[in-house]
Amino acid sequence: MICLGIESTAHTFGIGIITEEGNVLANEKDTYTTKEGGIVPIKAVEHHMNCYEKVIKKSLEKAGLTIKEIDIIAFSQSPGLGHTLRIGAMAARSLAAHYSKPLIGVNHCIAHLEIGNMTTECRNPVLLYASGANTQIIAYEAGRYRIFGETLDIGIGNFLDSFARELGLGFPGGPKIYELANKGKNYIKLPYTVKGMDVSFGGILTNLKQKLKSGQYSEEDLCFSVQETVFAMLLEVAERAMAHCDKKELLLGGGVACNKRLQQMAKEMCSQREAECFIPKNEFLVDNGAMIAWLGIIEHKAGNRTKIEESIIKPYERTDEVEVNWR
Ligand code: AMP
Ligand code: MG
């Protein structure tokens, strides 16, 4: 069985091709970026429209396959930007209908978790999913991937990107903040917002804007302090979820998890509680087609199929709405 997976929840149009044994034959993508400012959904749509054919072709070439040799078409059906989800769904429906292949719409957040399970040695982790639009602490309990904690406002990646925009840096801002943070030395106190098992970033962003305007602090010190503060918040709730669920594994997922400082703090927290920390390769942390293809394989084996007439996108679906019938 070979599955072609299509990712288009936001800035990335990705195509992954994977075998049922988990061999990634191709994982191609094209990502919408800007020099200044954030994602403009309609521009991201233009980007995806302009590149989708090229990315599909490139991935088939890389895999050394023709589309006829693909057995299953999977796509990210939820959650994400409606504008961009539609492009991937349209491509998936067309391929599935034209070449008579089974179609499987999958949940993007769960795909992050399953590709992590497959490419690392972890089995039953708490997932710290830190991406652009999403920030969730997820673990499997009683038939579903449950959300134990999450952001109450914006995702951590969007938060970092917004702060980067204030600094006049382009999108994505996370890596640029990381570079500046490495040059910072002094910790500047920022609001620390953990509410029960949830986090929030809006107030910190306002506070940062005020500090920036005051001209009293260096950009490097602010970036350093931002990372120390918000990563500590994430790991506090992740650790509490691990204790609550009695799980000994932490898995990282999402583009922000590429951050080396977050990775280091996650490893330290795990070693202190004699747990293991699993970090997939960057290629599988950021949004990618391979994870969509892999969840396609898993769900296909479980007998799940998406009829064309049921393949409508679900921009707001939550992780725990999906019934997990494959574990
Ligand atoms: P995703 O939506 O999972 O593809 O993640 C995209 C987000 O990851 C964007 O908000 C980026 O700013 C952020 N990001 C990517 N690399 C890094 C990094 N090294 N440190 C922090 N954030 C990052
Ligand atoms: Mg993602």
Side-chain angles (χ1 to χ4, degrees), residues 165-299:
R165 200 159 32 188
E166 294 296 321
L167 296 171
L169 309 169
F171 172 82
K176 293 170 187 165
I177 289 180
Y178 174 75
E179 294 302 326
L180 285 177
N182 282 338
K183 297 184 200 138
K185 286 183 210 71
N186 306 306
Y187 181 78
I188 301 159
K189 200 166 183 316
L190 293 171
Y192 181 95
T193 334
V194 172
K195 300 178 183 179
M197 289 295 284
D198 296 323
V199 292
S200 93
F201 301 108
I204 306 177
L205 189 58
T206 306
N207 188 277
L208 280 167
K209 284 181 193 168
Q210 289 164 348
K211 287 204 161 75
L212 206 54
K213 218 169 152 192
S214 77
Q216 287 177 27
Y217 309 95
S218 80
E219 294 185 356
E220 288 81 2
D221 284 345
L222 284 174
C223 288
F224 168 72
S225 309
V226 163
Q227 288 198 163
E228 296 304 305
T229 306
V230 295
F231 295 163
M233 285 162 45
L234 292 185
L235 289 166
E236 180 187 331
V237 285
E239 181 171 19
R240 210 169 310 128
M242 290 168 79
H244 175 76
C245 303
D246 198 20
K247 293 202 198 282
K248 288 279 175 207
E249 298 174 336
L250 177 71
L251 174 66
L252 300 188
V256 179
C258 295
N259 187 294
K260 294 283 174 237
R261 178 63 185 142
L262 175 61
Q263 294 185 357
Q264 186 187 20
M265 287 166 77
K267 285 182 201 158
E268 275 167 22
M269 181 270 274
C270 285
S271 83
Q272 280 167 19
R273 52 181 300 111
E274 291 176 10
E276 272 188 283
C277 181
F278 296 94
I279 306 173
K281 289 198 292 192
N282 279 5
E283 170 188 8
F284 301 122
L285 284 172
V286 298
D287 287 350
N288 66 90
M291 68 181 193
I292 304 302
W294 179 239
L295 187 49
I297 291 271
I298 294 177
E299 293 210 33

Side-chain angles (χ1 to χ4, degrees), residues 7 9 11 108-109 112 129 131-132 134 254-255 285-288 291:
E7 159 57 28
T9 53
H11 42 67
H108 172 98
C109 308
H112 272 290
Y129 174 33
S131 80
N134 300 294
L285 284 172
V286 298
D287 287 350
N288 66 90
M291 68 181 193

Side-chain angles (χ1 to χ4, degrees), residues 6 9 35 88 125 166 236 324-325:
I6 304 179
T9 53
K35 287 223 167 61
E166 294 296 321
E236 180 187 331
V324 177
N325 62 350

Side-chain angles (χ1 to χ4, degrees), residues 75-138:
F75 71 104
S76 45
Q77 191 174 8
S78 67
L81 296 173
H83 286 74
T84 56
L85 278 169
R86 256 177 222 113
I87 310 294
M90 180 204 66
R93 282 181 207 120
S94 314
L95 290 174
H98 189 80
Y99 296 99
S100 305
K101 311 281 180 195
L103 179 67
I104 304 181
V106 308
N107 177 291
H108 172 98
C109 308
I110 296 179
H112 272 290
L113 196 144
E114 292 293 359
I115 195 79
N117 273 348
M118 194 272 283
T119 60
T120 72
E121 300 287 297
C122 80
R123 288 294 155 260
N124 190 12
V126 165
L127 170 72
L128 168 54
Y129 174 33
S131 80
N134 300 294
T135 302
Q136 296 182 338
I137 311 292
I138 303 171

